[in-house]
Amino acid sequence: MRTHLNTAGAGLMSRRTVETMIEVLEAEQRDGAYETEQRYDDELNVALYKELGRLVNADPQDVAIFDSATRAWSATFGRLALRSGQRVIITPYEYAGNLMSLTTLQKRYGFRIEVMPLDGAGDLDLDWLRRSVDDDVALVSVPHVPSGCGIVNPVEEIGRILDGGDALYVVDGCQSVGQLPVDVGRIGCDLFTGAGRKFLCGPRGTGFAVASRRLRERLTPDLLDLHVADIDQHLDVAEHVSGARGLELAERSTAVFMGLLASLAEAPDPAGLDNGHLSTALAAELRTVDGVQVFDPGRRQSGITAFRHDRVPAARIAEELRAAGVNVWKIAGSHTPLYLLERDVTTAVRVSVHWYTTEADLTRFMNELRRILA
Ligand SMILES: Cc1ncc(COP(=O)(O)O)c(C=O)c1O
């Protein structure tokens, strides 16, 4: 039996999720793909939006579906019209893909990017934020949980600081949704993005955004696809579906989104999970190993821990663990560059736990790691 400690890459799908996708693919082969999609119309166009809305306490009208979290982020964020002289506040924990969209926009509009400082423990300096937010701040972007370490950022508290102001508030929930309770109403964000394949244990190729009406009203017009709009012989375009779905493309895999729906039905209530507890215990154990440096900034942890060794490269540790039946992931510092690369961490080993992780899994991991590093 393999021990899977790479949910932050992709979680393990359930048998039911896999069977759902197989059933859909078989129906497509037997009956035709468009015909199969029609049969699942209610699931794909109503239930999926309702379930995602329920998951994060959002209006289904604000939910849009994409094939990845990056697409969800860039399909919305990439269309924001900002102005030179405006300020965009990010954190050292921002994901590299988001930073790339951001720098593309910066080249276009010439706004200033400011990075929120951290306090001595690695938590975001919220006093700095309180002092810094003014009318020039166009947007504040915070990952709920970053890609390369398990800190849980205080997204609700930040929402309260921004409440009532004009700045848009963007939260990347790719690594939090499915393992932490998420309530976009309480967070008060304008954009929340997530991936289906990680802590929701859905299929690859699934992502979603929750985009508020306030955010949507500030987007530059862009492509509308045929599932939400019509065009006539005079080239007049009429949108016939309102809400965040206007951000999507029409073409998608029926099988993977039916798989996502199946995984949502089974996902345990995150309120009952405590991945942070397991990670904290694991980090303490890792610190007892000679030459290991753990990256677990901040006072509150989720199911992700990262570490490196002063002699054995991360790639070798990950490879040898895999050969011994334990999945972990070698991460690149450049994926969380403002935190990891800034500290000269070019690679590290990421270990991520979820509800299916047992004490025995962690013992196995630690035993194999000690053997590799001996
Ligand atoms: C924090 C964070 N945001 C965004 C992403 C991008 O997700 P996707 O690969 O689905 O585009 C990742 C991927 O690992 C991530 O960890």
Side-chain angles (χ1 to χ4, degrees):
M1 237 329 237
R2 187 158 280 277
T3 287
H4 188 69
L5 300 174
N6 188 22
T7 300
L12 290 180
M13 289 185 290
S14 73
R15 197 62 230 153
R16 184 70 214 121
T17 296
V18 173
E19 274 163 8
T20 301
M21 291 193 288
I22 293 171
E23 277 162 28
V24 173
L25 289 172
E26 283 176 350
E28 287 187 343
Q29 195 223 0
R30 192 182 55 240
D31 304 330
Y34 277 31
E35 293 73 8
T36 301
E37 183 183 3
Q38 250 177 359
R39 176 162 3 123
Y40 293 117
D41 181 55
D42 200 47
E43 285 87 342
L44 293 169
N45 293 304
V46 181
L48 191 52
Y49 293 83
K50 241 183 165 155
E51 284 307 303
L52 284 168
R54 192 186 50 80
L55 178 74
V56 298
N57 192 27
D59 183 339
Q61 277 278 318
D62 293 340
V63 175
I65 285 165
F66 298 93
D67 54 2
S68 75
T70 299
R71 186 95 75 182
W73 215 79
S74 51
T76 38
F77 197 94
R79 288 174 48 190
L80 280 171
L82 302 177
R83 291 191 309 276
S84 101
Q86 285 188 309
R87 301 160 58 211
V88 167
I89 295 178
I90 61 172
T91 78
Y93 297 115
E94 191 66 80
Y95 180 66
N98 300 350
L99 286 171
M100 287 186 198
S101 289
L102 182 64
T103 52
T104 303
L105 278 192
Q106 189 197 24
K107 285 189 192 108
R108 190 177 307 152
Y109 297 117
F111 53 82
R112 217 164 68 218
I113 298 174
E114 294 174 24
V115 183
M116 207 183 300
L118 303 180
D119 67 16
D123 284 307
L124 299 173
D125 182 346
L126 299 190
D127 286 334
W128 178 90
L129 183 66
R130 279 186 198 94
R131 287 193 308 274
S132 302
V133 178
D134 62 21
D135 290 346
D136 290 336
V137 175
L139 187 144
V140 176
S141 173
V142 182
H144 197 178
V145 171
S147 177
C149 54
I151 184 174
V152 180
N153 286 316
V155 288
E156 291 188 9
E157 205 173 337
I158 293 172
R160 285 193 290 275
I161 294 172
L162 301 177
D163 188 30
D166 201 43
L168 291 170
Y169 181 27
V170 174
V171 174
D172 174 348
C174 194
Q175 297 288 9
S176 67
V177 70
Q179 67 157 330
L180 296 174
V182 172
D183 182 328
V184 294
R186 287 173 64 106
I187 296 172
C189 56
D190 296 283
L191 176 63
F192 181 92
T193 52
R197 74 180 182 279
K198 296 177 186 288
F199 290 90
L200 286 172
C201 298
R204 297 197 68 171
T206 55
F208 69 96
V210 176
S212 71
R213 177 185 288 272
R214 179 171 90 139
L215 174 96
R216 299 200 303 271
E217 286 171 355
R218 294 194 203 179
L219 299 179
T220 53
D222 196 28
L223 166 82
L224 286 172
D225 210 346
L226 301 192
H227 67 313
V228 292
D230 292 319
I231 186 163
D232 67 15
Q233 68 274 36
H234 310 294
L235 303 185
D236 286 329
V237 175
E239 211 172 332
H240 55 74
V241 174
S242 61
R245 295 197 64 175
L247 301 163
E248 302 170 342
L249 292 177
E251 175 57 11
R252 66 172 62 145
S253 160
T254 303
V256 300
F257 283 101
M258 286 300 294
L260 178 63
L261 189 58
S263 65
L264 290 173
E266 290 180 324
D269 182 354
L273 301 180
D274 194 358
N275 289 349
H277 183 75
L278 271 187
S279 287
T280 304
L282 187 62
E285 186 89 14
L286 281 167
R287 285 198 165 86
T288 66
V289 182
D290 256 10
V292 164
Q293 182 187 8
V294 181
F295 305 108
D296 58 350
R299 292 171 184 82
R300 188 171 165 216
Q301 299 297 310
S302 66
I304 303 176
T305 310
F307 70 95
R308 70 175 168 185
H309 189 256
D310 59 7
R311 190 173 39 81
V312 184
R316 212 185 102 200
I317 295 174
E319 236 167 71
E320 293 200 18
L321 281 169
R322 191 173 319 167
V326 179
N327 292 347
V328 295
W329 198 245
K330 182 208 92 176
I331 55 166
S334 59
H335 289 187
T336 318
L338 301 177
Y339 184 76
L340 291 177
L341 274 193
E342 181 69 20
R343 283 159 183 74
D344 294 324
V345 183
T346 50
T347 59
V349 179
R350 182 178 64 192
V351 185
S352 45
V353 301
H354 202 18
W355 62 265
Y356 41 67
T357 307
T358 61
E359 294 278 336
D361 287 331
L362 297 183
T363 304
R364 181 182 187 190
F365 160 73
M366 282 307 304
N367 287 345
E368 293 297 344
L369 181 69
R370 285 183 204 279
R371 178 186 60 75
I372 293 162
L373 299 179

